[in-house]
Amino acid sequence: MSLLNPVLLPPKVKAYLSQGERFIKWDDETTVASPVILRVDPKGYYLYWTYQSKEMEFLDITSIRDTRFGKFAKMPKSQKLRDVFNMDFPDNSFLLKTLTVVSGPDMVDLTFHNFVSYKENVGKAWAEDVLALVKHPLTANASRSTFLDKILVKLKMQLNSEGKIPVKNFFQMFPADRKRVEAALSACHLPKGKNDAINPEDFPEPVYKSFLMSLCPRPEIDEIFTSYHAKAKPYMTKEHLTKFINQKQRDSRLNSLLFPPARPDQVQGLIDKYEPSGINAQRGQLSPEGMVWFLCGPENSVLAQDKLLLHHDMTQPLNHYFINSSHNTYLTAGQFSGLSSAEMYRQVLLSGCRCVELDCWKGKPPDEEPIITHGFTMTTDIFFKEAIEAIAESAFKTSPYPIILSFENHVDSPRQQAKMAEYCRTIFGDMLLTEPLEKFPLKPGVPLPSPEDLRGKILIKNKKNQFSGPTSSSKDTGGEAEGSSPPSAPAGEGTVWAGEEGTELEEEEVEEEEEEESGNLDEEEIKKMQSDEGTAGLEVTAYEEMSSLVNYIQPTKFVSFEFSAPRLFTCIFSGHKHKKNRSYVISSFTELKAYDLLSKASVQFVDYNKRQMSRIYPKGTRMDSSNYMPQMFWNAGCQMVALNFQTMDLPMQQNMAVFEFNGQSGYLLKHEFMRRPDKQFNPFSVDRIDVVVATTLSITVISGQFLSERSVRTYVEVELFGLPGDPKRRYRTKLSPSTNSINPVWKEEPFVFEKILMPELASLRVAVMEEGNKFLGHRIIPINALNSGYHHLCLHSESNMPLTMPALFIFLEMKDYIPGAWADLTVALANPIKFFSAHDTKSVKLKEAMGGLPEKPFPLASPVASQVNGALAPTSNGSPGKVRGRGHILRLPGGGVEEANGAKGPPRAPDSPARGSCSSQGRGQGRGYERSCGAADRQPGGAPGAKGRGEAAAAAREGAARVGAARSAALGGAAAAGRGAAGGARATGRGGRRGLQARSRQGLSQEEEPAPRGERRSRAGRGP
């Protein structure tokens, strides 16, 4: 916990929503229209309506997916209802009174709740304000205490005719163990009979909390409390709570100046908020029950709440972002059969997706309206116009950032293509980007505009033909791109090519050859091609009307990374040289082709995605609409990793969880190494990534609460998604000891992911399973959005919707990864006074026991020893080693510095000792200086030169003096300095290697004499 106050505040419910409004609720199936009063509870948990019979219906705000009004709301189809609302009268104002609320557990299984207000424009206000509650970041990511409070609110709203809470509602709310519910009610002195009822005044919040503590006791939190509370006292003082917060709930990697630790006076506010006893709160004391509610509060959120808000830089070029993308968006089920629906475009866009796909085919006479369907399958059709209207309606409800429409165009009619282009222009209006921005012309070397530049705009990805004028460019073809090339326009001196003259000719030749080959394919070969690419390789000519709408997203045939690399190209017409570096060109790849490229040329794939965009889509054989794991292609920097949104499998769950962050904008900025052309990134790296500090993550699954509606045994799986070099092990707890799903406890060791190479690319999945592998709930959270400490992890459904009851209690600990060889050094750097004091105490005891010299802080042969003595340890190739530690500056030979994140300071001066020369700073101190003289300073006979010997001795004295001074300051006072000098004097009297090592440890002063000549001679002739 880095802050004592939560970053986000709960959503505020406007007064008129709580007071309610009169509506008529209608249903087309039953043709019934009923007067109701529509309300939102004051805390914003439920939308509910009350009939004249006092019957109430509830809709959890988290289950609402959309609200609509006016022409976008549902219209009655039955004549009976149309007559009720006078819809057939010419001057009726029905559209000004409509309201539709859409809810459902996923994007396919939807329910439409239709209302008509008595006043005009009331529906519009309700639609906007209810949707604002739904989209609030804390609606789906609330604290544990909020979800428990939702239960209380619903219990007190569901009253019987006498205005009391039926006891049977408790059994329905907590169905796992009826006997425990009865016992908890009895403990609170409440009636427990099935036909009994409870007066709401007898069930205030304190009684409800006592009921929960009786129903779901928390012995594991009591143990934590006991380890920090005052001895023999049943409470924790504010000083004890402050210590607990700073030691357990605070990220140890935080800078204490920028993020000061908690103070007792600040912690008093937390005690006032969570301690149920007013007397204890006045005394600054926290009881065990208060500790439970403190750990359930928003201050202890497992999420870094600021990550939920828009926090990425949105002014980078478009290709520097991961973009939430959909494949065959119109399908509601499998790829071969099932319904197509324009509603899917709404739902996908509302979820934050920014790239949707439209498979366009020629319409049939007499209307010849273009349609959208999955070609050569049994899926149903929808009209192209209907899909465009759905996109226009929902385009920017969730995110204001640009939408990309990925067209797979099979409409081989110029007239129908012209109709498609006209629909786009008229329905989208100003939202459609038809011309490139003035600051970002379509020229080689010019980057793409940013999401901020394209805010509120819709971009078309469609093949672009040559007759579209100076902004025309290449075409999307089969193979790896989703589409085949149209016949090329005749080339001549008057032809103006897209962005540059003649740079497309090589691609033209490749595409013409491919089209010629595809024209000669028989039916079996076409089917084989479709099995991988689907119908993507069968696109037709892009005619002028559609082609003119294409600008920044121009699909082209992928040839090779070498062909796509920036280079000079000589125009065959003018002979001029042009740079081939077109950021507006995009290629599409099936998952198989992309995986093949990634496995063979991963670094080139990453570099390709730095310059331009790529789109990955599922192979054609996924007829069940299953998905591939998107992580492997995010690792390569692929921007548009398209998935089947109708299938909520694990890949789709990860996609939804990751894009929930950054304000649900649909755009996530890639890591710097995946953007900068001067950096090289290999996603298959297993060692380290320069300037990126790896993370060690430890998670302890402690207990669960209300995991199932049945009494079952449960277990927990913990899994990491990240780079191939990250720890890949999936951990699993044992089954809970008994069939207790209300409060099972697992007493197991922490699950440790020791070295997460790039935390920004990794995410953690925690899933709860019932015995027999039945899914109960899970949560996927990016590593850099996790908070350290004890937390309640509220679980989500398979479709990423929050579950009210189930939660896990876990302990998370995140640290910078430190190799074992540097562990002692890290401790010494973090607190040198404590480290050396402890070492001196230990060494004195050892000396007394053994009668020998005090033990050295580090083994002299280890690289850690040379670091403590002010030098960098040599690596195996002779270059200075590096120590990674947050906030520390390491000195390099020649005066350069290296920060903990790996960034180097000024380079070695020209006259500094070269690698292999005599340099005690780089080598000698860790090994008694016997290897100080390198081969470059040797005389022909093999003896070290005088210059090398002098530099080695001088460096040795300087280094030893530095250590002596540092240790003297750390130990404090003249007495400590005296011990250092005395130790140095004793060491001077000892000849040979042991004596010199002792001097370097005990603080040899700069004025002391160098080592005896005999000792220097003993070191002569030794190589580096």
Side-chain angles (χ1 to χ4, degrees), residues 912-969:
S912 299
R915 183 177 297 180
S917 66
C918 176
S919 174
S920 61
Q921 286 185 347
R923 307 168 184 250
Q925 294 176 23
R927 308 184 70 87
Y929 308 121
E930 71 271 26
R931 301 173 68 176
S932 295
C933 298
D937 193 48
R938 295 189 183 283
Q939 301 295 338
K947 178 182 177 181
R949 290 195 303 272
E951 288 184 358
R957 290 194 301 273
E958 181 182 354
R962 223 171 19 244
V963 173
R967 294 199 61 234
S968 297

Side-chain angles (χ1 to χ4, degrees), residues 930 933 938 942-944 949 1015-1023:
E930 71 271 26
C933 298
R938 295 189 183 283
R949 290 195 303 272
E1015 180 178 329
R1016 294 201 303 271
R1017 187 179 299 114
S1018 70
R1019 294 194 297 269
R1022 298 188 185 183

Side-chain angles (χ1 to χ4, degrees), residues 369-476:
E369 282 288 329
I371 61 173
I372 291 178
T373 189
H374 198 195
F376 309 114
T377 67
M378 298 173 65
T379 56
T380 60
D381 309 337
I382 58 173
F383 287 121
F384 175 83
K385 181 181 180 182
E386 189 181 353
I388 296 299
E389 288 174 339
I391 293 170
E393 175 194 345
S394 303
F396 303 108
K397 277 189 171 183
T398 297
S399 168
Y401 293 104
I403 291 174
I404 299 169
L405 305 186
S406 180
F407 280 74
E408 187 181 301
N409 197 341
H410 302 276
V411 179
D412 57 358
S413 164
R415 180 184 171 191
Q416 291 196 28
Q417 281 203 22
K419 186 179 287 190
M420 291 165 58
E422 182 63 19
Y423 286 148
C424 290
R425 291 179 185 274
T426 56
I427 296 173
F428 291 148
D430 293 339
M431 293 187 294
L432 182 65
L433 186 71
T434 57
E435 299 291 338
L437 304 180
E438 185 178 349
K439 294 182 180 180
F440 300 93
L442 296 179
K443 293 182 180 180
V446 177
L448 289 172
S450 69
E452 188 61 40
D453 294 322
L454 297 170
R455 191 182 182 96
K457 293 297 182 182
I458 296 175
L459 284 69
I460 302 292
K461 170 186 172 286
N462 190 80
K463 293 194 310 183
K464 190 171 182 70
N465 218 331
Q466 305 303 334
F467 38 62
S468 299
T471 59
S472 297
S473 185
S474 51
K475 301 155 292 299
D476 193 341

Side-chain angles (χ1 to χ4, degrees), residues 65 104-107 648 653 656 778 796-801:
R65 294 188 168 270
D106 54 47
M107 298 184 193
M648 288 297 164
Q653 291 165 4
M656 293 195 70
H778 78 148
H796 285 190
S797 69
E798 290 175 301
S799 57
N800 201 40
M801 295 183 65

